[in-house]
Amino acid sequence: MRIFHVPDMSCGHCKAVIEKAVLAADAQAELVFDLDAHEVRITSDLADHDLLAILVKESYPATILV
């Protein structure tokens, strides 16, 4: 599991866009969102740089916290 800080993520639409994009790349991924903290916890077989690239492509640049 990795925790990503996504400063521009603030609503259900943001959550849906991120979830759809990550699951399209890894259908087995698990995502847990904390919209108030602007964080998403992702459990996936994808590499960190791949997950960051997905977020950037969807206009949600992020940094890895853990």
Side-chain angles (χ1 to χ4, degrees), residues 9-60:
M9 180 183 69
S10 61
C11 67
H13 172 75
C14 302
K15 176 184 178 279
V17 168
I18 292 169
E19 193 167 43
K20 181 179 178 181
V22 171
L23 291 175
D26 177 3
Q28 303 303 313
E30 295 180 14
L31 295 87
V32 178
F33 292 86
D34 183 340
L35 293 176
D36 293 330
H38 303 279
E39 294 176 0
V40 58
R41 299 171 194 270
I42 302 175
T43 302
S44 172
D45 289 334
L46 297 173
D48 291 347
H49 66 273
D50 293 328
L51 291 168
L52 287 170
I54 290 168
L55 294 170
V56 167
K57 181 179 179 197
E58 298 300 327
S59 300
Y60 293 102

Side-chain angles (χ1 to χ4, degrees), residues 1-12:
M1 176 195 61
R2 274 98 45 166
I3 301 173
F4 294 86
H5 178 68
V6 189
D8 296 333
M9 180 183 69
S10 61
C11 67

